[in-house]
């Protein structure tokens, strides 16, 4: 099981003190000219309060980085760059949002995660920041499918008449697929829906089509990026790629499910239907085109309106209308 803690810094951009920020800017090796430019940009800001006809005196702004600018988020990232120092679990940062997560299997793992949270709180107090407790959330998620399998094993074994059967026999008698197979089916279904626009999601936000289409298989293979962490390999967008790319093109028709959902025929079916309609018109005089019946096939099974099939010495002839409509 994995524990996730989502943290949010309260009024983060407004609370960054300029004096402490410039210390970190200097420690990052920012050049002298650029350092003076940033300091002048922050030090030149003033504010005052207006209430009806009363106006206060101007006061220097001693904290806050400007939002809605290019410089603001960069300065905030510099200020919070050391937030993850000495953190033992995984941590992800984006602007004022922070996510800490790690594997939690016993009390030791719980203590390790709590120690990381204590370090983050200490960092916030030391640098005059504060976490918004009302927006901070904790989530527990089971990542190991074996935990679900153990639950299903115990449940199916308690059913009347299933006590002496093996787990595989119980699933067979109950007509239940394994959890691994169910997840695989769900992954492939959602992968198809995302790629072919069956859901309101942009496929380029999840997958990238492989630039190498010369290999065997279908033409919708996905590009798999290298992953340096075990956690990332468990993500849906990572674990489904190998299975999806291994699907053979001769057994999967990617257009049929989508056309069936939209109530449309494939182009091949539409062309065959159009050919048969034209042949029917020729037989029953709806056009001025004559058609030759095959007099040698009257004794064979089927209807009596069989057409004489012309012979061609080239492959091009098989694409002619009368050749393909037989």
């Amino acid at each position: 099981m994995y524990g996730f803690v989502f943290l949010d810094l309260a009024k983060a951009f407004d609370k960054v003190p300029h004096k402490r920020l410039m210390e970190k800017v200097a420690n990052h090796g920012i050049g002298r000219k650029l350092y003076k430019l940033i300091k002048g940009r922050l030090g030149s800001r003033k504010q005052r309060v207006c209430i009806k006809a009363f106006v206060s005196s101007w006061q220097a702004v001693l904290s806050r980085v400007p939002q809605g600018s290019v410089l603001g988020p960069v300065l905030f990232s510099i200020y919070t760059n050391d937030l993850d120092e000495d953190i033992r679990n995984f941590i992800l940062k984006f602007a004022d949002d922070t996510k800490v997560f790690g594997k939690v299997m016993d009390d030791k793992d719980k203590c390790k995660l709590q120690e990381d949270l204590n370090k983050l709180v200490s960092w916030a107090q030391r640098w005059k920041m504060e976490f918004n407790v009302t927006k901070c959330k904790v989530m527990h998620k089971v990542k190991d499918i074996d935990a679900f399998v153990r639950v299903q094993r115990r449940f199916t074994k308690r059913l009347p008449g299933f006590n002496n059967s093996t787990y595989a026999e119980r699933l067979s008698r109950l007509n239940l697929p394994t959890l691994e197979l169910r997840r695989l089916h769900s992954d492939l279904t959602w992968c198809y829906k995302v790629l072919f626009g069956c859901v309101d999601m942009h496929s380029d936000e999840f997958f990238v089509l492989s630039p190498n289409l010369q290999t065997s298989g279908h033409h919708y293979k996905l590009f798999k990026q290298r992953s340096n962490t075990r956690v990332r390999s468990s993500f849906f967008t990572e674990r489904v790629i190998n299975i999806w790319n291994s699907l053979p093109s001769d057994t999967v028709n990617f257009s049929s499910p989508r056309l069936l959902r939209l109530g449309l025929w494939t182009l091949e079916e539409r062309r065959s239907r159009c050919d048969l309609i034209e042949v029917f018109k020729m037989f029953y005089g709806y056009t001025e085109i004559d058609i030759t019946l095959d007099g040698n096939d009257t004794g064979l099974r089927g209807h009596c309106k069989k057409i004489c099939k012309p012979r061609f010495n080239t492959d091009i002839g098989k694409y002619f209308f009368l050749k393909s409509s037989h």
Side-chain angles (χ1 to χ4, degrees), residues 1 8 15 17 41 49 61 66 102 123 126 129 140 168-169 179 203 216 221 243 266 268 272 274 298 303 315 325:
M1 182 173 66
D8 179 81
K15 288 190 173 183
R41 177 73 175 86
V49 179
V61 178
W123 179 93
R126 185 168 63 254
M129 304 293 284
H140 300 284
E169 291 173 346
L179 290 175
S203 61
S216 59
K221 290 191 174 183
I243 301 297
T266 64
E268 186 66 29
S272 298
C274 182
T298 55
H303 57 80
D315 291 337
S325 60

Side-chain angles (χ1 to χ4, degrees), residues 26-66:
N27 292 334
H28 275 73
I30 303 298
R32 187 173 181 181
K33 292 184 178 180
L34 183 57
Y35 176 88
K36 289 183 177 181
L37 180 64
I38 295 174
K39 186 175 182 180
R41 177 73 175 86
L42 296 175
S44 63
R45 301 174 67 84
K46 295 184 178 182
Q47 64 182 4
R48 65 177 180 176
V49 179
C50 300
I51 302 177
K52 295 184 179 180
F54 300 93
V55 180
S56 68
S57 60
W58 288 101
Q59 299 292 329
V61 178
L62 302 180
S63 63
R64 186 178 183 272
V65 293

Side-chain angles (χ1 to χ4, degrees), residues 95-133:
D96 57 346
D97 295 324
T98 305
K99 180 171 68 174
V100 183
F101 59 99
K103 198 171 185 179
V104 181
M105 302 301 295
D106 50 29
D107 292 338
K108 184 178 179 180
D109 293 334
K110 294 179 183 178
C111 292
K112 185 172 69 172
L113 184 59
Q114 184 61 53
E115 289 174 1
D116 287 342
L117 294 178
N118 295 339
K119 292 177 183 177
L120 293 174
V121 173
S122 299
W123 179 93
Q125 294 173 348
R126 185 168 63 254
W127 294 102
K128 305 300 180 182
M129 304 293 284
E130 182 182 0
F131 286 106
N132 190 343
V133 180

Side-chain angles (χ1 to χ4, degrees), residues 155-170:
F155 179 80
T156 55
K157 194 171 184 178
R158 293 178 180 178
L159 295 176
F162 287 81
N163 187 35
N164 296 325
S165 302
T166 63
Y167 179 57
E169 291 173 346
R170 294 197 297 271

Side-chain angles (χ1 to χ4, degrees), residues 48-311:
R48 65 177 180 176
V49 179
C50 300
I51 302 177
K52 295 184 179 180
F54 300 93
V55 180
S56 68
S57 60
W58 288 101
Q59 299 292 329
V61 178
L62 302 180
S63 63
R64 186 178 183 272
V65 293
Q67 299 188 50
S69 63
V70 177
L71 183 62
V74 174
L75 294 178
F76 184 80
S77 297
I78 292 175
Y79 193 74
T80 60
N81 187 50
D82 58 345
L83 176 66
D84 55 357
E85 283 188 358
D86 299 326
I87 299 299
R88 299 167 65 187
N89 286 283
F90 299 100
I91 184 170
L92 296 175
K93 300 179 296 182
F94 181 78
D96 57 346
D97 295 324
T98 305
K99 180 171 68 174
V100 183
F101 59 99
K103 198 171 185 179
V104 181
M105 302 301 295
D106 50 29
D107 292 338
K108 184 178 179 180
D109 293 334
K110 294 179 183 178
C111 292
K112 185 172 69 172
L113 184 59
Q114 184 61 53
E115 289 174 1
D116 287 342
L117 294 178
N118 295 339
K119 292 177 183 177
L120 293 174
V121 173
S122 299
W123 179 93
Q125 294 173 348
R126 185 168 63 254
W127 294 102
K128 305 300 180 182
M129 304 293 284
E130 182 182 0
F131 286 106
N132 190 343
V133 180
T134 59
K135 291 186 177 180
C136 297
K137 302 295 180 181
V138 179
M139 183 179 69
H140 300 284
K141 188 173 183 181
V142 178
K143 301 293 287 185
D144 188 3
I145 197 172
D146 292 337
F148 290 103
V149 173
R150 288 193 292 269
V151 174
Q152 184 166 276
R153 282 177 178 272
R154 290 195 299 267
F155 179 80
T156 55
K157 194 171 184 178
R158 293 178 180 178
L159 295 176
F162 287 81
N163 187 35
N164 296 325
S165 302
T166 63
Y167 179 57
E169 291 173 346
R170 294 197 297 271
L171 292 180
S172 179
R173 290 174 60 184
L174 294 171
N175 196 24
L176 291 176
T178 62
L179 290 175
E180 185 67 30
L181 184 61
R182 288 162 61 184
R183 187 177 71 171
L184 175 61
H185 180 269
S186 177
D187 286 349
L188 291 175
T189 301
W190 274 103
C191 183
Y192 172 86
K193 289 181 178 181
V194 171
L195 284 177
F196 292 97
C198 299
V199 290
D200 189 16
M201 298 178 181
H202 297 289
S203 61
D204 54 357
E205 296 179 359
F206 295 87
F207 303 110
V208 177
L209 290 177
S210 175
N212 185 12
L213 299 178
Q214 304 300 322
T215 58
S216 59
H218 56 81
H219 298 291
Y220 298 95
K221 290 191 174 183
L222 304 175
F223 174 73
K224 187 170 185 178
Q225 300 179 353
R226 292 185 177 180
S227 176
N228 296 325
T229 62
R230 295 180 60 184
V231 176
R232 184 177 177 85
S233 62
S234 301
F235 293 172
F236 159 70
T237 53
E238 293 291 328
R239 66 172 184 258
V240 74
I241 291 180
N242 288 340
I243 301 297
W244 176 265
N245 289 344
S246 64
L247 295 176
S249 59
D250 56 344
T251 58
V252 179
N253 184 356
F254 292 101
S255 63
S256 296
R258 183 168 45 153
L259 294 177
L260 180 62
R261 174 177 171 270
L262 298 174
L264 300 176
W265 291 349
T266 64
L267 292 176
E268 186 66 29
E269 291 172 339
R270 290 162 63 185
R271 185 175 68 174
S272 298
R273 181 175 181 269
C274 182
D275 289 347
L276 292 174
I277 291 174
E278 291 299 323
V279 171
F280 177 86
K281 290 180 179 180
M282 294 177 187
F283 267 126
Y284 294 96
Y286 292 100
T287 63
E288 297 181 355
I289 303 176
D290 295 328
I291 194 168
T292 305
L293 296 177
D294 189 354
N296 297 326
D297 288 346
T298 55
L300 298 178
R301 290 180 299 173
H303 57 80
C304 59
K305 298 289 186 180
K306 293 190 176 181
I307 307 172
C308 181
K309 189 174 185 179
R311 293 184 178 181

